[in-house]
Amino acid sequence: MEQKIIFTNHVGESIDDIVGQLGSPAVFVLCDVNTQSFVLPVLQAQSGTVAAAKIISTRAGDASKDIEALASLWKSLSDLGATRQSVLINIGGGVVTDLGGFGAATFKRGMHFINVPTTLLGAVDAAVGGKTSVNFNGLKNEIGVFANADAVIISTCFFNTLPQQQLLSGYAEMIKHALLQSKDMLDRLLAYSVVYPLFDSEALLGLLEESVAVKQNIVAQDLTEKGLRRALNLGHTAGHAIEAMALKYQSPVPHGYAVAWGLVVCLVLSHMELGFPSETLHKIAAYVLENYGAHSITCKEYPELISLMRHDKKNPSPDSISFTLLKDIGQPVCGCVVSEEKIEAALDIYRDLMHI
Ligand code: GLY
């Protein structure tokens, strides 16, 4: 079943409509401490449903998306009398929608839930597509289920207060979707300025709608990631390795920045393995360098990066390293096994392109 996604800057009204259609007798809202301070009061003023809802709060930040936070959510739902017919409205970024989605999907074997993403990264990725999870045993998103929200309500009206770094982080996932879709979509994204002072939230809502449709179309064909959904991993094999290594050496980078650098590595490999056009590779590399800067990688770090790629949970077997690559824009090929020598050569070219 395709997930219902509503693009609107009248969020309160949409929440009232959807909850009315669900006919839920009781409504709960999950926020983190940031969305509780900054977003909840706005929605309480706009929506009778939110104004009357019982509020459950969780800590902010990926480190708090854990089993304790999940148990605390279940306990609040239970103590406050939630039933299978109740609805949980998750208001926040990926931490809140992942945690709240998993909590709702498992509470009494599943209650209704609605996602209201408040970050660009959440809107374009985490809140849509039915992946829910918590971190466990030191591993990210280790425990979770595929469960579609009853609805996802996407608005750009919450983004005005986001730091530029967070906007750019989400924008990298939009560039990934455009690479999977069409040259036209990519050109429109590269021409738009997601950073202040040129941020135009109406235009961004239109671009977001196109971008989310790319993911929605893929997920509708392969919710549980048996095949085609692996295309959404474009840029993530190298990106996750860069992100994990930066975290290990105490200089964490935003997820979308790692994806942007990972996309450059992936397009280099796509050129080497599948003849992806060099002109587009250079265009993306220049865009990434200008907007995300250059993430420095030294030759000495290659073995550790490659080991992280080998053990990426999306890699089907540690005996080989598999990438989603592109023949051209809109032509992904999943499961491309690439040798370590070629990955090292691609990292060399990444460093040249990033002027490192
Ligand atoms: N973030 C990629 C996916 O949802 O499959």
Side-chain angles (χ1 to χ4, degrees):
M1 191 188 67
E2 202 162 282
Q3 191 166 49
K4 183 169 193 167
I5 305 187
I6 297 147
F7 295 86
T8 179
N9 278 330
H10 303 281
V11 178
E13 224 171 89
S14 282
I15 292 176
D16 290 347
D17 279 355
I18 300 286
V19 173
Q21 285 162 31
L22 291 173
S24 290
V27 181
F28 301 84
V29 163
L30 179 69
C31 287
D32 67 20
V33 288
N34 297 323
T35 53
Q36 186 158 11
S37 302
F38 299 112
V39 180
L40 185 62
V42 177
L43 291 179
Q44 280 170 325
Q46 285 177 8
S47 155
T49 310
V50 178
K54 291 177 179 144
I55 311 302
I56 302 171
S57 188
T58 188
R59 287 166 293 139
D62 193 64
S64 49
K65 194 179 80 177
D66 57 12
I67 199 89
E68 283 80 28
L70 178 67
S72 160
L73 169 59
W74 282 330
K75 181 157 179 5
S76 300
L77 289 169
S78 185
D79 290 350
L80 294 169
T83 67
R84 247 186 221 173
Q85 283 69 45
S86 306
V87 58
L88 179 67
I89 306 174
N90 301 313
I91 300 175
V95 169
V96 171
T97 56
D98 278 7
L99 171 74
F102 187 44
T106 46
F107 183 75
K108 295 192 192 284
R109 299 202 182 94
M111 62 186 286
H112 296 293
F113 70 100
I114 296 171
N115 287 339
V116 181
T118 56
T119 63
L120 182 56
L121 189 60
V124 76
D125 195 21
V128 296
K131 282 187 178 174
T132 71
S133 59
V134 291
N135 305 327
F136 182 67
N137 201 22
L139 298 165
K140 271 176 77 89
N141 300 324
E142 182 71 349
I143 309 291
V145 293
F146 290 99
N148 271 332
D150 289 276
V152 183
I153 301 172
I154 294 182
S155 165
T156 48
C157 63
F158 307 117
F159 301 165
N160 291 320
T161 52
L162 290 180
Q164 295 202 3
Q165 217 187 32
Q166 273 211 41
L167 286 168
L168 280 164
S169 189
Y171 212 61
E173 294 283 357
M174 291 174 69
I175 290 169
K176 176 193 82 176
H177 287 166
L179 282 164
L180 292 169
Q181 187 65 22
S182 71
K183 182 175 175 317
D184 272 5
M185 191 186 278
L186 183 66
D187 287 345
R188 275 197 299 282
L189 281 188
L190 298 190
Y192 175 81
S193 171
V194 75
V195 290
Y196 315 113
L198 295 172
F199 179 92
D200 169 349
S201 65
E202 281 299 324
L204 182 59
L205 192 63
L207 292 171
L208 246 178
E209 187 160 357
E210 281 186 75
S211 188
V212 169
V214 175
K215 176 162 183 179
Q216 203 178 7
N217 180 36
I218 291 174
V219 171
Q221 297 173 64
D222 178 24
L223 173 69
T224 56
E225 204 166 324
K226 298 282 187 293
L228 182 64
R229 188 168 183 160
R230 285 190 275 151
L232 293 173
N233 207 28
L234 191 78
H236 282 62
T237 308
H240 278 152
I242 291 171
E243 192 179 3
M245 199 150 129
L247 189 63
K248 182 172 166 193
Y249 293 106
Q250 269 104 42
S251 52
V253 294
H255 173 71
Y257 279 58
V259 170
W261 299 314
L263 281 171
V264 176
V265 176
C266 153
L267 295 184
V268 171
L269 282 170
S270 297
H271 176 67
M272 287 161 62
E273 298 286 284
L274 304 175
F276 182 84
S278 142
E279 191 198 331
T280 316
L281 160 61
H282 280 88
K283 192 156 83 174
I284 295 291
Y287 182 87
V288 169
L289 182 58
E290 186 182 340
N291 290 282
Y292 297 85
H295 181 75
S296 175
I297 297 172
T298 64
C299 303
K300 282 196 191 132
E301 292 170 320
Y302 288 5
E304 189 166 358
L305 275 173
I306 289 172
S307 163
L308 285 163
M309 291 179 205
R310 196 176 280 291
H311 293 100
D312 188 290
K313 77 165 167 305
K314 296 207 172 172
N315 191 43
S317 148
D319 300 333
S320 56
I321 304 177
S322 159
F323 288 78
T324 293
L325 299 179
L326 292 178
K327 266 195 209 157
D328 202 338
I329 296 172
Q331 295 178 38
V333 183
C334 301
C336 300
V337 172
V338 181
S339 68
E340 287 195 12
E341 292 68 32
K342 288 215 170 126
I343 297 172
E344 287 185 2
L347 291 171
D348 284 342
I349 297 170
Y350 161 88
R351 293 168 63 214
D352 285 348
L353 290 167
M354 296 285 113
H355 306 162
I356 294 167

